[in-house]
Amino acid sequence: MPVGRPFISCMYRLVCVHCAAVYPADQIIYTCSRCGHLLAVEYPLDELSIDRSRWRRRPLSVWRYRELLPVTGEPVTLQEGGTPLYHLKRIGEELGLPHLYAKHEGMNPSGSFKDRGMTVGVSMAVELGMTQVACASTGNTSASLAQYAAKAGMPAVVLLPAGKVALGKIAQALMHGAKVISIRGNFDRALEMVHELCLSHGLYLLNSVNPYRLEGQKTIGFEVVDQLGQVPDRFVLPVGNAGNISAVHKGLNELLALGFIDRLPMMTGVQAAGSAPIVRAVREDLPAVIPELSPETIATAIRIGAPVNAEKALVAIRATGGTATTVTDAEILAMQRDLARKEGIGVEPASAASVAGIRRLVEDGQIDRNERIVCVVTGHLLKDPETVIAQCAPPCEIDADLSSLLSALSS
Ligand code: F0G
């Protein structure tokens, strides 16, 4: 064990989702040492006394829900969460869905939902006495980790798939001072490498295999329930490494166990057609995913062939009567433009996948039009300026006089 602040928590433990082996909360462990499967944080929910009216008196944010988070000390925070929930009026009208919403996670401090996980994950790194943090990333995780590590005053190492990370995300990781390494390989390989590095050299791994990180991300579900004043019928998320869909499901299950809600939404995952191992497993009713060896999509954030959280995500989708669907790159980009121009919501391609997935499911006749549907749009438009510029005509340059301006406006 590294030395650090004394770690005080007997309120929760880590449990293997496969063989139910139990580990103490302060053990640095990412997967079950008995069977190799994923771990989850388990709270003694029947012993916790949570006063919901106290939650309501706190600002809408990750830390409103701190009784259901693992951090015991002062968190490393940049005021994450509290993101807007927009009614998609025009797109909803076109699709015949009067109750279609988007939770805009691009409005977080680093511009993606990853900040919810990182405020908790980096706080836990501090609490556990770790001195360096690391991750592999398709971009957003690295940007967020770099930012929260900077806030904590801790060095960060990030591994990226060379040539496959959007410009804004690399800029963030570099500017916030992380050690940025591009590997000649894809995200799945980068994750294997960083996992190995962390185990052998004592860095703290902050990919979504880390159960504490997912604890922060589950607050997306908590906020939606508070913002809507009810449980949506369907929760739709873009799926890459499958951590976020698993996290939201876990959180809502906790609210159900506490008696705060009386049902779960149908958890629905959307993947890019060229990178869809979860969709395949759902469609073919496979017990586990078959990794996609060469995933490809313009939505580089979700260009992932071997999702580490697949086991949890398949449970989330199946146990709630949800589903999974693919969308093509063309459908993703069309929805990115529709969100931008018809709703005023700027998101990166992977984020548009959730709403594009709903359009596809409506066209396939799989959606009841009266459903209350919340799509999580995961990252901000400015994350990937190159994909935006490639879709839009360049500004028209004119001489600096009024007649040139008028003729440009009339052409
Ligand atoms: N949307 C965006 C914008 C993402 O960056 C990611 C994942 C996802 C959706 C998928 O979430 O992995 O929990 O299923 N990005 C990771 C990264 C992999 O490294 O930034 P997931």
Side-chain angles (χ1 to χ4, degrees):
M1 266 292 288
V3 281
R5 280 181 14 202
F7 187 82
I8 17 145
S9 184
C10 48
M11 284 306 282
Y12 58 89
R13 56 196 196 159
L14 297 170
V15 179
C16 172
V17 298
H18 187 73
C19 75
V22 173
Y23 301 90
D26 59 353
Q27 188 167 340
I28 310 297
I29 186 170
Y30 308 106
T31 51
C32 179
S33 49
R34 210 158 80 186
C35 73
H37 285 253
L38 298 166
L39 302 174
V41 181
E42 191 183 86
Y43 304 87
L45 293 176
D46 40 4
E47 290 167 32
L48 293 181
S49 68
I50 300 172
D51 178 358
R52 262 188 115 185
S53 62
R54 198 149 126 217
W55 278 2
R56 289 197 195 97
R57 286 197 296 275
R58 298 176 185 157
L60 189 73
S61 79
V62 168
W63 297 101
R64 169 183 275 199
Y65 311 100
R66 61 176 311 150
E67 291 84 351
L68 286 180
L69 294 173
V71 177
T72 54
E74 265 308 296
V76 178
T77 176
L78 293 163
Q79 299 182 21
E80 45 293 311
T83 55
L85 181 71
Y86 296 123
H87 182 214
L88 299 184
K89 194 163 173 294
R90 293 210 180 84
I91 293 175
E93 268 166 17
E94 280 173 17
L95 297 177
L97 299 173
H99 312 293
L100 182 64
Y101 298 84
K103 175 81 167 152
H104 194 353
E105 288 295 295
M107 304 296 272
N108 274 297
S110 82
S112 86
F113 70 96
K114 306 287 181 180
D115 299 342
R116 294 180 185 271
M118 287 307 171
T119 182
V120 172
V122 172
S123 299
M124 288 306 290
V126 173
E127 201 148 312
L128 291 162
M130 305 302 282
T131 53
Q132 274 192 77
V133 287
C135 72
S137 182
T138 56
N140 281 322
T141 301
S142 67
S144 183
L145 180 62
Q147 206 162 326
Y148 282 84
K151 177 76 182 172
M154 213 186 261
V157 175
V158 308
L159 264 66
L160 308 176
K164 294 291 181 183
V165 176
L167 197 63
K169 305 173 188 180
I170 299 185
Q172 289 178 291
L174 291 169
M175 186 51 127
H176 287 292
K179 175 95 182 159
V180 180
I181 297 178
S182 284
I183 67 148
R184 289 186 278 277
N186 64 21
F187 168 82
D188 302 301
R189 179 65 193 133
L191 183 53
E192 281 169 9
M193 286 173 66
V194 78
H195 199 156
E196 224 175 293
L197 173 77
C198 288
L199 291 178
S200 58
H201 287 76
L203 286 80
Y204 194 53
L205 180 62
L206 275 168
N207 280 99
S208 56
V209 68
N210 181 320
Y212 291 128
R213 216 196 86 188
L214 294 186
E215 289 303 289
Q217 289 175 208
K218 75 185 180 186
T219 60
I220 297 176
F222 297 170
E223 286 189 10
V224 164
V225 169
D226 280 352
Q227 285 169 305
L228 271 184
Q230 59 182 300
V231 188
D233 299 303
R234 191 180 292 277
F235 227 108
V236 190
L237 297 103
V239 173
N241 226 2
N244 213 26
I245 192 168
S246 311
V248 171
H249 176 244
K250 177 184 190 280
L252 293 175
N253 246 327
E254 287 168 355
L255 294 193
L256 188 69
L258 288 164
F260 293 175
I261 57 174
D262 57 4
R263 64 197 172 93
L264 292 176
M266 293 174 274
M267 300 302 297
T268 300
V270 184
Q271 295 196 290
S275 179
I278 298 268
V279 179
R280 182 175 172 196
V282 171
R283 284 192 180 145
E284 298 177 18
D285 202 20
L286 305 174
V289 293
I290 300 169
E292 174 95 51
L293 295 182
S294 308
E296 210 42 85
T297 168
I298 191 139
T300 49
I302 51 172
R303 184 176 169 272
I304 294 176
V308 287
N309 290 292
E311 185 177 11
K312 290 180 180 176
L314 289 176
V315 169
I317 292 168
R318 287 171 175 152
T320 59
T323 188
T325 190
T326 56
V327 283
T328 63
D329 283 358
E331 288 170 327
I332 288 174
L333 295 180
M335 186 52 80
Q336 185 188 25
R337 291 191 299 273
D338 280 354
L339 283 164
R341 293 175 182 186
K342 297 177 180 170
E343 303 287 354
I345 299 175
V347 301
E348 66 167 290
S351 313
S354 57
V355 194
I358 276 297
R359 181 180 272 164
R360 168 112 317 284
L361 289 169
V362 166
E363 285 168 7
D364 293 347
Q366 291 194 54
I367 298 288
D368 175 341
R369 307 261 173 180
N370 290 316
E371 283 180 13
R372 201 167 291 276
I373 301 169
V374 173
C375 298
V376 182
V377 294
T378 41
H380 199 277
L381 174 87
L382 293 173
K383 290 283 191 170
D384 188 353
E386 286 165 312
T387 306
V388 174
I389 297 289
Q391 293 179 74
C392 302
C396 116
E397 189 173 319
I398 58 164
D399 288 334
D401 59 66
L402 190 59
S403 69
S404 304
L405 175 58
L406 291 174
S407 74
L409 290 177
S410 62
S411 67

